[in-house]
């Protein structure tokens, strides 16, 4: 009996397990050192054979059963295989390709699928879906689940699959349009990892270690299923942490609406989140391109000098370009909707992100990715002259400039006339302000941007002042 009990108490041999994102059909970052990892019995010996390496790789799990191995990829266009074996396992991964891998995250505007939301379309979605068959574009989706602690693997997901009309319909529109066009331009496989949650705050996407620098994080008594997308660290734990260290080329981010009432806090937290992710991936300052939130009515246009005016969060997002190395921003001032927080022109958003990537990441120096940005001003008589960076070939307006206001020392802003002069600067004036001091452009919740460069990239809303007590003249 004693001998029988000893045999019964022996640990059962566990098969090697891989994380969900390491599977058949995946895209591995080309010409890079990638990581394969997983779990097994403690001290288990594992052999990895690949179709592109001449020699097999050997790795031994640690006492806890964790294992990982670095693998060099190539630029081959051939479909590859990976075989992982151990005493009790024999796993074969098929149809693996080398290409460009991008992580896409944020809230509902990133989550918005190609099919749109109920009563809220995504423009050009039907034709995009009809043309979606593409074995060189691969998609992976992390489903919306929160966690109090960092997870080793995602709980719910849609595994890697080749793009097709059947599966792109529910995939992130921004991620799909970006990936499709990047694949066509570079003519290499592209993998898009989508992990977003509508309505989420930036706090939810930051690790406990970093978030604790800004506030206490104690989730012990928190109901993780209630208001999950606003619980600090909850989405990082379940929707980002399990993806690390899967090698990516860069990240796309579309979020900010849920933090619009706290712009100064966002100015700290957003760059901290990016730094947090980059530190944990351990591959340097990988490219990080994000979208400035679009104009929307947000209950009215009465707010002018308070955070209820979303121009303040747009200003902070613009300032974050200087706080986040190797970053770029897609301005959407011209494509918002007054009564819909989800602009339907997701293809335009994706293209503006893509222009940043092509210029900064892939070396297309003739592709302009940066919108014109207010640089300086001077007062000439009763006119303020504005000058801009990133407008190398000049400024442009389709049908005249609108949305400019001007103020004197009394900090009262009046509607102003604005004109492009010398094709590269803007002259702003008002008969009601004889001695102007400051200018604001598109400083509203809802507005339609009118200022572009000649590559038709819109300028962000901006102000030349830093007043907290400015007012508008009564109309």
């Amino acid at each position: 009996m004693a001998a029988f009990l000893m045999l019964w108490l022996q640990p059962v041999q566990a098969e090697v397990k891989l994380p969900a994102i390491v599977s058949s059909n995946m895209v591995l970052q080309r010409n890079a050192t990638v990581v394969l990892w997983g779990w097994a019995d403690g001290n288990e010996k594992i052999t990895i054979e690949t179709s592109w390496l001449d020699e097999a790789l050997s790795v031994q799990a640690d006492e806890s059963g964790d294992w990982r191995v670095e693998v060099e990829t190539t630029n081959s266009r051939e479909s590859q295989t990976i075989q992982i074996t151990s005493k009790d396992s024999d796993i074969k991964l098929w149809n693996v390709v080398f290409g460009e891998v991008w992580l896409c995250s944020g809230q509902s505007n990133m989550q918005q699928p190609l099919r749109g939301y109920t009563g809220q379309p995504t423009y050009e979605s039907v034709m995009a879906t009809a043309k979606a068959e593409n074995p060189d574009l691969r998609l992976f989706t992390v489903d919306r689940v929160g966690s109090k602690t960092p997870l080793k693997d995602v709980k719910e997901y849609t595994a890697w699959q080749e793009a097709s009309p059947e599966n792109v319909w529910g995939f992130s529109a921004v991620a799909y349009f970006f990936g499709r066009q990047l694949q066509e331009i570079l003519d290499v496989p592209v993998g898009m990892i989508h992990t977003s949650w509508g309505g989420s705050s930036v706090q939810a996407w930051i690790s406990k270690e970093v978030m604790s620098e800004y506030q206490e994080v104690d989730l012990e008594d928190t109901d993780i299923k209630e208001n999950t997308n606003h619980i600090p660290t909850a989405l990082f734990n379940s929707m980002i942490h399990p993806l690390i260290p899967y090698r990516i080329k860069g990240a796309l981010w579309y979020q900010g609406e849920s933090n619009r009432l706290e712009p100064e806090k966002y100015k700290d937290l957003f760059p901290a989140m990016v730094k947090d992710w980059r530190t944990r991936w351990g591959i340097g300052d990988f490219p990080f391109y994000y979208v400035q939130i679009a104009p929307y009515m947000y209950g009215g246009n009465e707010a002018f000098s308070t955070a209820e005016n979303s121009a303040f969060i747009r200003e902070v997002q613009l300032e974050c370009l200087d706080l986040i190395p190797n970053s770029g921003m897609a301005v959407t001032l011209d494509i918002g909707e007054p009564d819909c927080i989800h602009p339907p022109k997701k293809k335009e958003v994706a293209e503006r992100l893509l222009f940043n990537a092509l210029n900064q990441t892939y070396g297309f120096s003739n592709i302009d990715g940066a919108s014109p940005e207010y640089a300086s001003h001077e007062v000439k008589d009763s006119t303020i002259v504005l000058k801009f960076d990133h407008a190398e070939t000049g400024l442009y307006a389709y049908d005249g400039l609108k949305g400019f206001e001007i103020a004197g020392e009394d900090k009262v802003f009046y509607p102003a006339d604005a004109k492009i002069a010398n094709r590269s600067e803007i002259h702003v004036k008002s008969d009601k302000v004889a001695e102007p001091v400051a200018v604001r452009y598109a400083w509203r919740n809802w507005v339609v941007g009118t200022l572009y460069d000649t590559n038709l990239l819109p300028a962000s809303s901006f102000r030349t002042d830093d007043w907290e007590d400015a007012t508008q003249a009564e109309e």
Side-chain angles (χ1 to χ4, degrees), residues 117-129:
Y117 295 126
T118 301
Q120 300 176 23
T122 300
Y123 289 172
E124 303 185 49
S125 62
V126 176
M127 185 58 72
T129 301

Side-chain angles (χ1 to χ4, degrees), residues 52-92:
W52 68 93
L53 296 177
D54 294 332
E55 297 183 2
L57 301 171
S58 297
V59 63
Q60 184 171 350
D62 62 21
E63 293 183 356
S64 299
D66 296 330
W67 62 269
R68 59 179 281 167
V69 62
E70 292 185 347
V71 184
E72 298 296 324
T73 62
T74 71
N75 201 34
S76 171
R77 291 295 301 271
E78 299 296 321
S79 177
Q80 309 290 341
T81 61
I82 301 173
Q83 189 151 9
I84 301 172
T85 57
S86 70
K87 181 180 178 181
D88 297 289
S89 298
D90 188 358
I91 302 171
K92 190 158 189 178

Side-chain angles (χ1 to χ4, degrees), residues 199-417:
S200 58
S201 65
V202 71
Q203 289 91 330
W205 296 100
I206 302 174
S207 71
K208 180 177 181 179
E209 290 79 3
V210 171
M211 197 63 223
S212 295
E213 298 175 12
Y214 300 93
Q215 68 179 71
E216 182 180 356
V217 179
D218 183 0
L219 305 186
E220 183 176 352
D221 298 323
T222 301
D223 184 351
I224 199 66
K225 295 184 179 180
E226 292 291 330
N227 206 28
T228 309
N229 54 355
H230 281 271
I231 298 174
T233 79
L235 305 189
F236 170 84
N237 290 336
S238 55
M239 299 177 69
I240 296 296
H241 185 269
L243 303 176
I244 303 169
Y246 195 87
R247 184 67 183 261
I248 60 175
K249 183 68 172 185
L252 308 178
W253 177 256
Y254 195 165
Q255 189 274 340
E257 295 91 344
S258 290
N259 291 97
R260 71 178 185 88
L261 296 179
E262 47 184 16
E264 289 306 311
K265 183 180 290 187
Y266 195 78
K267 190 174 180 179
D268 292 331
L269 293 177
F270 178 37
M273 184 205 78
V274 177
K275 184 177 180 181
D276 188 18
W277 291 11
R278 285 171 167 171
T279 299
R280 291 172 182 278
W281 250 279
I283 53 174
D285 288 342
F286 56 76
F288 197 99
Y289 303 125
Y290 60 97
V291 184
Q292 186 186 60
I293 67 170
Y296 171 67
M297 192 57 77
Y298 287 114
N301 258 341
E302 290 74 25
F304 189 68
S305 294
T306 71
E308 292 182 3
N309 180 356
S310 56
F312 285 96
I313 190 71
R314 294 197 299 266
E315 178 182 57
V316 161
Q317 290 178 309
L318 180 63
E319 292 170 343
C320 283
L321 284 173
D322 294 327
L323 302 176
I324 302 173
N326 197 17
S327 65
M329 186 177 75
V331 177
T332 59
L333 200 70
D334 59 329
I335 57 176
E337 292 285 332
D339 303 315
C340 181
I341 202 170
H342 304 120
K345 295 183 177 180
K346 291 296 187 283
K347 185 170 179 284
E348 287 82 348
V349 174
E351 287 175 348
R352 291 170 187 180
L353 290 168
L354 180 66
F355 296 156
N356 277 282
L358 291 175
N359 180 278
Q360 295 182 224
T361 302
Y362 294 108
F364 286 69
S365 59
N366 60 330
I367 300 297
D368 183 13
S371 287
E373 185 178 332
Y374 162 73
S376 63
H377 71 278
E378 60 179 324
V379 180
K380 292 184 177 180
D381 298 324
S382 59
T383 300
I384 292 184
V385 178
L386 303 172
K387 296 186 178 181
F388 295 81
D389 290 331
H390 310 304
E392 296 82 0
T393 57
L395 300 172
Y396 178 76
Y398 282 99
D399 189 26
L401 295 173
K402 302 178 180 64
F404 283 84
E405 296 170 282
I406 198 167
E409 291 286 355
D410 61 359
K411 303 180 183 179
V412 178
F413 280 86
Y414 292 83
D417 294 322

Side-chain angles (χ1 to χ4, degrees), residues 168-186:
V168 302
W169 194 233
F171 193 72
S172 163
V174 169
Y176 173 73
F177 282 126
F178 179 95
R180 186 189 74 181
Q181 294 179 101
L182 182 65
Q183 193 282 313
E184 291 175 356
I185 292 168
L186 298 184

